[in-house]
Amino acid sequence: MKESERKIYFDHAATTPLDEGVLEKMLPYFTARFGNADSLHSFGREAMRAVDEARDSLAALVGARPEEIYFTSGGTESDNWAVLGAARAQAKKGRPRVVISAVEHHAVLSAGERLERAGVPVVWLPVNGEGRVELTALREALSPEVGLVAVMAANNETGAVQPFRECAALAHENGSLFFADGVQAAPYMPVDVGDWGADLISLSAHKFYGPKGAGALYIRRGVKAEGLISGGEQERGLRGGTLNVPAIVGLAAAYEKNVRDMQKNNAQILAVRETFERELFARLPDAKRNGGGECLPGILNVSFKGVDNAAFLSVMDLHGVALSAGSACAAASVKPSHVLLAMGLTEEEANSSVRFSFGRNNTEEEAVRGAELAAKAAERLRGAD
Ligand code: PLP
């Protein structure tokens, strides 16, 4: 296949391919070592040994105790559990209010909306033009009734790193719990529960070359978050359901590799993004980067004035470049991103925005070719008006 025909994947914030070494570690747990981890016989004990090892490994890498790690079906479940479970437990202690940043992923946002529909007072924290929560706004939102504050570590659409450590400190001064969605940050920033200061942290394996449908929730010892899935006594009675042993093994193996190779990967990804940015903006000087300040190396959000992002995505797809708008897609239309609107962009600007997200396998050649194709597509679509 000619170089120019090779597909380019710039959608790593949506998902990453499963690492082959990780797959190898998972495979035996689908077949030969298929036991139910809760069975008492040797098949079960073998499966539970793998789960224990995965829990120990993940806990050690994030500076937690093994009993503070709960395995889930992914980032969405972990986010739902953190928000709904902690809010419900805190309400019982006379702290029913919840503070949530306006730029959270839908998994957190919709959990907050669900609380609101149940009559829980939710304060939506605004962000500045860079997409960052301002500490003054959080200070104003805090009161003795606030039980939980949720601010993600880094945003999935713009890559903006939030001042989550400072937010955790403010929440704690107020006697509130603090939850950080770490799903998008984890591929690039080491999770350290002491350093992060959060009481609850969510993770998702498929963002760091692990399997889809595998996640974890860290719940600090002594913190109460009511379980959402009732059933057996799995996960210390808080999350029923037969353990997905291959997924758990895969999550831990992928996280281990992620931490080991993080510096190298970050440097490579940043170099590719910078090349892409330089090439794109040289060809299209009026393209505008959304966000700024401290950002994850792999995410770049750009507005192309006068260009419909849905059309742009399909033209790019035709040229073999996979991207997303970074917002919820309804069948034929792309809704304006709540993140970009919260940053002060107009609907039109939001609807002309695209997210490029880079990964460890992207090359400089792809950065140059991808930028060239993006510039051409934007110019063509603009001319089509
Ligand atoms: N939180 C953030 C910040 C995300 O980016 C995502 C996925 O895009 C999720 C949560 C949901 O994770 P999952 O896809 O594992 O359900």
Side-chain angles (χ1 to χ4, degrees), residues 13-14 74-76 79 105 107 152 154 156 181 183-184 204 206-207:
T76 299
D79 284 353
H105 185 270
M152 68 206 315
N156 48 300
D181 175 338
V183 169
Q184 209 61 242
S204 174
H206 74 104
K207 307 294 183 183

Side-chain angles (χ1 to χ4, degrees), residues 98-100 125 138 142 146-151 167 171 176-180:
V98 176
V99 176
I100 301 179
L125 267 187
L138 176 54
L142 291 172
V146 172
L148 176 70
V149 176
V151 178
C167 291
S176 315
L177 293 179
F178 183 76
F179 163 53

Side-chain angles (χ1 to χ4, degrees), residues 105-118:
H105 185 270
H106 285 284
V108 171
L109 220 56
S110 55
E113 287 161 1
R114 201 155 136 191
L115 288 171
E116 254 180 346
R117 284 195 298 276

Side-chain angles (χ1 to χ4, degrees), residues 144-381:
E145 297 81 46
V146 172
L148 176 70
V149 176
V151 178
M152 68 206 315
N155 185 265
N156 48 300
E157 295 192 25
T158 62
V161 176
Q162 296 292 345
F164 60 96
R165 297 178 185 83
E166 293 81 354
C167 291
L170 282 181
H172 289 157
E173 265 171 40
N174 189 60
S176 315
L177 293 179
F178 183 76
F179 163 53
D181 175 338
V183 169
Q184 209 61 242
Y188 308 99
M189 295 164 56
V191 178
D192 177 330
V193 303
D195 169 51
W196 281 35
D199 302 292
L200 305 113
I201 299 171
S202 58
L203 295 174
S204 174
H206 74 104
K207 307 294 183 183
F208 45 80
Y209 304 87
K212 293 166 185 58
L217 181 64
Y218 159 77
I219 307 178
R220 191 182 294 285
R221 188 161 72 167
V223 166
K224 210 164 175 308
E226 291 182 5
L228 302 186
I229 301 179
S230 40
E233 283 303 303
Q234 291 91 354
E235 299 301 88
R236 275 133 287 145
L238 286 178
R239 201 265 183 191
T242 301
L243 293 175
N244 187 347
V245 182
I248 290 168
V249 167
L251 181 145
Y255 191 75
E256 198 181 320
K257 186 158 186 192
N258 176 53
V259 170
R260 198 178 61 223
D261 298 342
M262 193 174 278
Q263 271 196 335
K264 185 181 78 186
N265 288 343
N266 282 354
Q268 145 87 12
I269 290 169
L270 183 64
V272 165
R273 191 194 87 197
E274 285 177 346
T275 301
F276 178 85
E277 234 179 304
R278 200 177 50 243
E279 295 289 325
L280 180 72
F281 293 125
R283 288 178 164 84
L284 223 54
D286 67 342
K288 185 177 136 273
R289 174 165 176 211
N290 296 316
E294 191 188 352
C295 281
L296 299 176
I299 299 184
L300 177 70
N301 197 301
V302 181
S303 282
F304 297 102
K305 200 170 175 353
V307 174
D308 173 58
N309 57 6
F312 181 86
L313 297 183
S314 54
V315 169
M316 290 295 277
D317 189 35
L318 280 175
H319 286 103
V321 186
L323 302 170
S324 60
S327 57
C329 297
S333 70
V334 180
K335 281 195 215 151
S337 147
H338 68 283
V339 174
L340 299 178
L341 295 182
M343 287 163 64
L345 271 73
T346 62
E347 278 207 11
E348 198 187 335
E349 285 168 331
N351 282 333
S352 73
S353 300
V354 175
R355 176 183 70 185
F356 300 88
S357 53
F358 307 94
R360 68 186 196 200
N361 299 324
N362 286 138
T363 62
E364 292 280 324
E365 183 275 326
E366 289 177 336
V368 174
R369 190 155 52 91
E372 212 175 278
L373 288 166
K376 274 192 198 148
E379 274 165 357
R380 234 181 66 203
L381 289 166

